[in-house]
Amino acid sequence: MNLSDKRKARARYQLKKNNKGGLPRLVVNRTLKNIYAQIVCDKEAKTLCSFSTKSKDFKAEKTYGIEAAKLVGAEIAKLAKKEKISKVIFDKSGVKYHGRVKALADAARENGLEF
C-alpha cells in the first residue's frame, strides 16, 4: 500500500467515523485531464448520481481546469436535487482542497448542496 492509498484510507475512515447521520458522500476524483464527482450512499453501497467531464451531457470544450470543475460541481448539485439530496459529506479522496477540487465544491455549494 503506497502513501497515497494510506492517505485515502485514513481520510475515508475519519469520514465514516464522524458520519453519525448516515449522510451520503460526495466523492471527488481528479486526473490530469478530467474530474469526476459522484454521490454515494454507504448504507446501501450504491451510487446515487454521478457526473464528470467525460459524461455525454458535459458541454465545454476543455475537460480540464477550474472552469470545467465548476461546471461539474454545478451539475452534480442539480442531479442531487433531482434525487432529493440536500446534505452530503465531502470526500476529496486524499487530495488537497485547492484548485479544481475547491472550485467543484464551491460550485456545488452555490447550487444548493450543503456540506
Side-chain angles (χ1 to χ4, degrees):
M1 186 178 263
N2 61 19
L3 184 61
S4 175
D5 291 339
K6 287 181 182 179
R7 188 179 312 122
K8 286 180 188 178
R10 186 174 55 241
R12 191 139 311 126
Y13 171 76
Q14 289 297 325
L15 285 173
K16 288 181 181 180
K17 184 175 91 172
N18 295 327
N19 188 6
K20 304 286 189 228
L23 295 173
R25 286 184 296 137
L26 171 60
V27 183
V28 177
N29 294 316
R30 64 173 174 80
T31 63
L32 292 175
K33 292 187 178 181
N34 294 295
I35 191 157
Y36 308 86
Q38 60 183 356
I39 297 179
V40 178
C41 179
D42 289 323
K43 288 182 179 178
E44 301 171 10
K46 182 178 172 184
T47 299
L48 303 174
C49 58
S50 66
F51 194 77
S52 72
T53 53
K54 287 189 161 189
S55 298
K56 292 179 184 178
D57 300 333
F58 186 71
K59 303 285 188 210
E61 293 178 13
K62 294 185 347 181
T63 61
Y64 55 91
I66 290 177
E67 294 302 319
K70 288 179 182 177
L71 292 173
V72 172
E75 191 61 34
I76 197 72
K78 290 176 188 173
L79 291 172
K81 280 184 183 178
K82 287 181 185 176
E83 294 285 328
K84 297 180 181 156
I85 300 169
S86 60
K87 287 188 173 186
V88 294
I89 291 181
F90 189 68
D91 181 2
K92 56 188 178 61
S93 300
V95 298
K96 289 184 178 180
Y97 183 78
H98 70 93
R100 293 184 289 159
V101 175
K102 183 178 185 297
L104 187 144
D106 290 341
R109 278 192 195 105
E110 289 171 5
N111 287 285
L113 209 54
E114 294 179 35
F115 47 92

